[in-house]
Amino acid sequence: MAKYPLSAEEIARFAHLGREGSTLTVLRHARIAERMGLSATDHKALELIGQARGPLTAGRIAELTGLSTGAVTGVMDRLEKAGLARRVRDTVDRRKVLIEVVPGAMDRHAPLFESAYTSMKNLLEQFSPDERKVLERFQSALLDDLRDELLGNSSRP
């Protein structure tokens, strides 16, 4: 892949945009979590569970979040109480407990995300299809780097 030099000013501008975008995203999700009756940590754990290719163990959730297994137990208790996640037995190893999102549970909170989707749609409509391909390529590469750094691989949790 071709590499193009960046000036220190360009790097600084992109770093500033990244930090501000990250901060505002965290604040948006904290507000959504509050409206769901969850803490920001509970909400993000729920998102990780929902994005996984299948149920996760408490240990895996602890690895992904950096929380202790005891803290993950508390998160799971709260998510179960809210009717958003549940503990299930592994069908292969009945001793293992897995955690999954309750089917359909997130649907009742979908309206909380509507303004974010509408905003993204309105913003993306300002870019040509070719420009959107570049934006998507950038976002995908950024996420791959974050997955490598935080999860140790480029796959989803």
Side-chain angles (χ1 to χ4, degrees):
M1 179 162 290
K3 286 195 169 190
Y4 304 96
L6 290 164
S7 70
E9 182 185 324
E10 283 178 302
I11 294 169
R13 284 195 326 261
F14 275 93
H16 173 77
L17 290 170
R19 284 190 310 273
E20 186 174 4
S22 174
T23 299
L24 294 172
T25 299
V26 167
L27 293 174
R28 172 185 269 160
H29 283 276
R31 287 181 183 171
I32 289 171
E34 185 179 341
R35 291 179 188 138
M36 292 174 73
L38 301 173
S39 71
T41 299
D42 294 351
H43 179 249
K44 288 294 118 188
L46 180 65
E47 287 287 325
L48 283 170
I49 297 164
Q51 292 170 10
R53 292 192 174 115
L56 299 175
T57 64
R60 181 64 177 145
I61 294 169
E63 288 173 21
L64 293 170
T65 60
L67 297 171
S68 69
T69 53
V72 169
T73 298
V75 168
M76 277 314 306
D77 289 345
R78 291 186 295 276
L79 292 177
E80 272 190 321
K81 185 177 179 182
L84 297 169
R86 64 184 177 194
R87 292 172 171 100
V88 295
R89 291 278 175 200
D90 187 327
T91 56
V92 176
D93 182 351
R94 301 280 303 152
R95 297 169 296 171
K96 192 183 291 186
V97 176
L98 301 172
I99 300 158
E100 65 183 12
V101 174
V102 172
M106 295 303 291
D107 294 342
R108 69 180 186 236
H109 297 290
L112 297 174
F113 296 89
E114 228 168 274
S115 69
Y117 289 120
T118 300
S119 177
M120 181 175 54
K121 177 185 176 291
N122 292 337
L123 181 63
L124 286 171
E125 287 175 338
Q126 298 173 34
F127 294 88
S128 72
D130 286 340
E131 289 172 319
R132 290 194 298 259
K133 286 178 185 174
V134 172
L135 292 170
E136 184 175 4
R137 192 177 96 217
F138 173 79
Q139 188 68 36
S140 293
L142 183 62
L143 290 173
D144 282 344
D145 281 354
L146 285 169
R147 283 187 204 103
D148 284 346
E149 178 184 339
L150 299 172
L151 309 177
N153 60 51
S154 289
S155 63
R156 294 185 123 190

